[in-house]
Amino acid sequence: MIKKAVIPAAGYGTRFLPITKAIPKEMLPIIDRPTIEFIVEEAKMSGIDQILIIVSSNKNAIIDYFDHNLELETILLNKSKQELFNVVHDIGEGVHLFFVRQKEQLGLGHAILQAEAFTADEPFAVLLGDDMFVSEGKPALKQLIDLHQKTQASVLGTMEVSYENTQKYGICEPQQTHEDYMELRGVVEKPAPEYAPSLYAIAGRYVLTPTIYKYLKTQNKGKGGEIQLTDAILRLMSEEKVYAKNMEAKRYDVGSKIDYIEAIIDRALQDDTLKEDIQAMLKRKG
Ligand code: G1P
């Protein structure tokens, strides 16, 4: 079983400047909870019990958020605000969180390399914080974990994108299609549409075997001058099979403003205390 997950959260958040000058992008709220909490919850619901969050120097707000705040909790208890106390106290319960600092931002591949001591020789999951998945059924990550159970190999979570959008993602080259998953022959990071081998994009969820570290350690810089996880996965394919699966879940790219706003509206529409007011507000705005 996959019990460990890695969440890289060391990026600069340039798409949300200037707010990300002072607030980590992972802490931007979907109403009253930060995006990273939804990622942690997805991991938890997928059976993960230990999570390593890879942070950089200006990300202490993430560590504080998942820690207890004894002063606040005492005040809430003294004021008999038991319900609010529970809300605050229960954040991150049921999963062990660990943090490590990435000293230099050399790319996603380099960030994952920081997890080597944590995951050791076990297969592990990776969840990227910009991709938020909401699923009525099985959580997105659990769908990959189940395929890993069956194949014992690395599995990439994918979604179909439009031709113009291939240059925003790692794109898969399928070798063989099985009932609801694919065996891959290649992956390429952010190709121009005319060079994209398919429209299957890596959507921020992975299950990787520990063999990946061998390739990450020797990985040259790729697209954007960064050490790319996608490039190391391509080299991993020379040694092990790698599969991909289209995840059945609604995806929000919360690193993009329009998806971020949609995530907030959708969450409000699911909240009984907000639903009617939001519906009325949206109607008024036409
Ligand atoms: C990263 C990966 C890319 C993947 C994407 C999913 O890119 O490098 O392969 O498709 O996440 O969100 P980023 O968006 O961090 O540039």
Side-chain angles (χ1 to χ4, degrees):
M1 266 319 267
I2 306 285
K3 288 288 173 196
K4 291 182 179 174
V6 179
I7 302 178
Y12 293 115
T14 44
R15 288 193 282 177
F16 269 88
L17 278 170
I19 187 66
T20 44
K21 184 176 167 220
I23 296 176
K25 67 172 172 175
E26 296 78 8
M27 289 302 293
L28 293 178
I30 306 293
I31 306 182
D32 52 8
R33 292 185 185 266
T35 55
I36 193 164
E37 192 175 356
F38 294 92
I39 311 289
V40 166
E41 281 300 308
E42 181 194 331
K44 208 167 90 179
M45 301 303 289
S46 301
I48 298 292
D49 60 19
Q50 294 177 54
I51 299 178
L52 177 70
I53 302 183
I54 297 165
V55 295
S56 53
S57 56
N58 59 346
K59 303 271 183 162
N60 289 344
I62 301 176
I63 304 175
D64 290 343
Y65 183 76
F66 287 105
D67 194 2
H68 288 310
N69 182 330
L70 290 181
E71 195 184 332
L72 173 64
E73 289 176 17
T74 310
I75 292 170
L76 291 173
L77 278 185
N78 288 345
K79 294 194 170 184
S80 303
K81 294 189 187 287
Q82 184 67 42
E83 230 171 90
L84 261 187
F85 169 85
N86 291 343
V87 166
V88 168
H89 182 82
D90 291 354
I91 293 166
E93 282 292 290
V95 63
H96 297 286
L97 292 172
F98 302 86
F99 297 89
V100 65
R101 269 196 186 170
Q102 184 187 14
K103 290 184 192 151
E104 313 168 86
Q105 272 65 73
L106 300 181
L108 178 60
H110 180 256
I112 301 302
L113 196 47
Q114 314 305 309
E116 189 180 12
F118 171 73
T119 62
D121 50 7
E122 289 171 48
F124 60 98
V126 174
L127 301 97
L128 304 189
D130 277 351
D131 299 281
M132 217 177 100
F133 286 94
V134 175
S135 163
E136 307 238 310
K138 230 188 243 184
L141 179 64
K142 180 75 169 81
Q143 298 171 29
L144 307 187
I145 290 177
D146 287 352
L147 181 55
H148 167 81
Q149 280 296 109
K150 180 168 159 170
T151 59
Q152 296 297 308
S154 295
V155 178
L156 316 182
T158 49
M159 60 176 179
E160 283 193 62
V161 293
S162 63
Y163 183 74
E164 306 75 56
N165 277 333
T166 60
Q167 49 211 329
K168 292 187 189 159
Y169 300 98
I171 302 290
C172 297
E173 183 179 353
Q175 157 130 321
Q176 202 184 342
T177 309
H178 299 266
E179 60 267 38
D180 63 347
Y181 63 99
M182 301 165 264
E183 184 184 332
L184 300 181
R185 111 178 51 223
V187 269
V188 48
E189 182 68 4
K190 305 195 174 96
E194 59 272 32
Y195 297 112
S198 77
L199 297 178
Y200 295 117
I202 305 172
R205 297 290 180 276
Y206 312 71
V207 174
L208 297 170
T209 63
T211 320
I212 193 67
Y213 292 119
K214 181 166 118 189
Y215 295 99
L216 284 173
K217 275 181 204 158
T218 54
Q219 187 57 54
N220 293 325
K221 288 179 180 169
K223 201 93 194 183
E226 295 188 352
I227 298 174
Q228 295 290 353
L229 177 58
T230 304
D231 294 344
I233 293 174
L234 175 65
R235 292 168 61 229
L236 172 68
M237 285 175 197
S238 64
E239 184 172 342
E240 291 178 0
K241 289 193 173 183
V242 175
Y243 295 91
K245 178 175 170 53
N246 279 335
M247 295 173 288
E248 282 161 32
K250 161 92 180 139
R251 170 186 183 257
Y252 302 92
D253 171 6
V254 287
S256 100
K257 288 177 188 164
I258 194 73
D259 271 25
Y260 174 66
I261 293 165
E262 189 184 1
I264 294 173
I265 293 173
D266 283 355
R267 181 152 185 255
L269 290 171
Q270 278 151 17
D271 181 330
D272 288 340
T273 65
L274 292 170
K275 188 177 172 180
E276 279 177 25
D277 289 343
I278 290 287
Q279 275 171 336
M281 184 211 280
L282 292 173
K283 213 170 192 178
R284 278 201 306 276
K285 291 183 186 297

